């Protein structure tokens, strides 16, 4: 078991990062957490309102590509761990503008690796550079099979190829320079504070507002959904107990076709809003498919379960019901993050897909 005094979390104002910051502060009562986030459209300090006055928490606004800033932060806070989540994360945006993904996901990761390497040269004690990655690096599955940690990389979108590149860099810094690293590759997350460009919050919002529900292609693509708080718990366990240099796949053993999931969301939202059951089905609209749309993702999470004892803590039924309730009760959050530039994004992306 490793122990850390000060952890640099990158991307802590985003969806998963905000849950990770909260988890580390509550599970590790002696650890300081510094959250470095550029506050792009996906980063929102509202996501961390409940911890902002915690004396062990500090927020720094900045870009992971800013080497001088990161070097200064390492000197000021003497980090003994980095939990690296900052990334451009949305596949559709990567198709529109790949360069931003290469810059943040590849060059940003290299900048952090260099900073950790020089700060930790000749140091003693526990150190860990933890890189958070995605199952999308493994490519697209057919109807059968699961991604294991040994599945060859086969990324197919600008997003997944930029994440795959960053995974390779992390392993290269480990093998070449001896940097103590761990990597995890997780399936699709869902839960509170997810930016509503992703499937589940987008659909909840549109069902609530009685707007069209855009299903790409024929809706039979499959994703393996994991509750974000279970991902945050897995990250906490891997950071403290994962073997150095090792990779862990994290997933929910919970595969859904997109169309089935949208039907389930319709059922839950209609019920919560006391509408006639299924009345929002009429909003379903099949739109032009995503370019290069990966057919299926599904994770074999047996390594993390057998080696570290982690498994999901709740069922999808419980998690999805809690998630729908959270978005409906936090309409202000949903409305504030979707005002302004998001509306332009939505009109551009979905205006194109008719
Ligand atoms: P997100 O888009 O919600 O959050 C990303 C955060 O990174 C935002 O707060 C943003 O402001 C920040 N950021 C972006 N560029 C930055 C830069 N150059 N410098 C500093 N901060 C920057 O993403 P998420 O869904 O929370 O994903 C977090 C990580 O987990 C990513 O690395 C992603 O690849 C990975 N991941 C996500 C999922 C998922 O289902 N969401 C699944 C597996 C892995
Ligand atoms: P998304 O949430 O973007 O995650 P990812 O592409 O990283 O898996 O999309 C999940 C699935 O839902 C994916 O198969 C694409 C599909 N999808 C739609 O059908 N309509 C939408 O409006 C969105 C955002 C996604």
């Amino acid at each position: 078991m490793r122990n850390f005094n000060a952890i640099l979390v990158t991307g802590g104002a985003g969806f998963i990062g905000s849950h990770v910051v909260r988890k580390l502060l509550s599970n590790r009562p002696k650890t300081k957490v510094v959250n470095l986030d550029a506050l792009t459209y996906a980063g929102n300090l509202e996501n961390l309102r409940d911890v902002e006055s915690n004396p062990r928490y500090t927020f720094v606004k900045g870009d992971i590509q800013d080497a001088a800033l990161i070097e200064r932060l390492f000197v000021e806070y003497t980090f003994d761990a980095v939990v690296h989540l900052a990334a451009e994360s949305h596949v559709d945006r990567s198709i529109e503008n790949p360069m931003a993904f290469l810059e943040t996901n590849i060059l940003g990761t290299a900048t952090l690796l260099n900073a950790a390497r020089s700060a930790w040269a000749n140091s003693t004690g526990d150190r860990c550079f933890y890189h958070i990655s995605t199952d999308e690096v493994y490519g697209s599955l057919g109807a059968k099979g699961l991604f294991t940690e040994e599945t060859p990389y086969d990324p197919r979108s600008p997003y997944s190829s930029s994440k795959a590149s960053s995974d390779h860099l992390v392993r290269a810094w480990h093998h070449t320079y001896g940097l103590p690293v761990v990597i995890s590759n997780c399936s699709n997350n869902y839960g509170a504070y997810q930016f509503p460009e992703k499937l589940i919050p987008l659909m909840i919002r549109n069902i609530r507002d009685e707007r069209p529900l855009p299903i790409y292609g024929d809706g039979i693509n499959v994703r393996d959904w994991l509750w974000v708080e279970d991902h945050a718990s897995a990250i906490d366990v891997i950071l403290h107990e994962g073997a150095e240099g090792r990779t862990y796949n994290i997933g929910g053993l919970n595969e859904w076709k997109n169309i089935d999931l949208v039907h389930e969301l319709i059922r839950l939202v209609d019920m919560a809003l006391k509408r006639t059951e299924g009345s929002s089905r009429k909003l379903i609209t099949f739109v032009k498919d995503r370019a290069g749309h990966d057919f299926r993702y599904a994770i074999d999470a047996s390594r993390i379960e057998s080696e570290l004892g982690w498994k999901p803590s709740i069922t999808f039924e419980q998690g999805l019901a809690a998630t729908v309730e959270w978005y409906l009760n936090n309409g202000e959050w949903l409305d504030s993050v979707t005002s302004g530039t998001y509306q332009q994004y939505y009109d551009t992306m979905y205006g194109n897909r008719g």
Side-chain angles (χ1 to χ4, degrees), residues 172-199:
W173 260 245
H174 175 64
H175 292 292
T176 308
Y177 305 115
L179 192 74
V181 306
V182 286
I183 298 180
S184 59
N185 297 81
C186 189
S187 62
N188 288 60
N189 284 215
Y190 71 95
Y193 301 113
Q194 185 168 32
F195 197 81
E197 64 189 353
K198 304 273 170 74
L199 182 75

Side-chain angles (χ1 to χ4, degrees), residues 330-350:
N330 288 273
E332 232 170 80
W333 182 91
L334 203 49
D335 294 334
S336 70
V337 297
T338 51
S339 63
T341 51
Y342 176 75
Q343 200 49 52
Q344 277 162 20
Y345 161 84
Y346 192 89
D347 293 343
T348 312
M349 296 301 283
Y350 290 89

Side-chain angles (χ1 to χ4, degrees), residues 89-92 136 159 188 194 197-200 202-203 213-217 219 221-223 225 258 287 290 293-295 297 350:
S89 70
H90 189 39
V91 175
D92 291 328
E136 302 191 25
Y159 164 66
N188 288 60
Q194 185 168 32
E197 64 189 353
K198 304 273 170 74
L199 182 75
I200 290 182
L202 185 145
M203 291 297 166
L213 310 179
I215 314 269
Y216 299 169
N221 300 64
V222 174
R223 296 293 182 264
W225 293 95
N258 293 336
V287 299
R290 172 185 282 172
H293 196 172
D294 286 341
F295 176 64
Y297 306 139
Y350 290 89

Side-chain angles (χ1 to χ4, degrees), residues 12-27 35 44-59 192-193 229 326 330 333:
F15 166 47
I16 302 172
S18 62
H19 291 276
V20 169
V21 166
R22 207 174 283 112
K23 190 72 72 191
L24 291 172
L25 287 170
S26 73
N27 283 9
N35 169 17
N44 188 345
L45 291 178
E46 283 298 316
N47 301 0
L48 288 164
R49 191 57 84 219
D50 54 327
V51 300
E52 67 187 6
S53 58
N54 186 319
R56 289 182 293 116
Y57 170 72
T58 307
F59 171 70
Y193 301 113
E229 295 204 29
W326 188 87
N330 288 273
W333 182 91

Side-chain angles (χ1 to χ4, degrees), residues 11 13-17 36-44 62-65 85-89 104 132-134 159 163 186-189 194 198 231:
F15 166 47
I16 302 172
L36 172 66
D37 196 297
L39 298 182
T40 68
Y41 77 94
N44 188 345
D63 193 313
I64 56 167
Q65 295 173 79
L85 297 113
E88 287 292 339
S89 70
T104 287
I132 311 297
S133 192
T134 165
Y159 164 66
K163 291 296 291 187
C186 189
S187 62
N188 288 60
N189 284 215
Q194 185 168 32
K198 304 273 170 74
H231 187 190

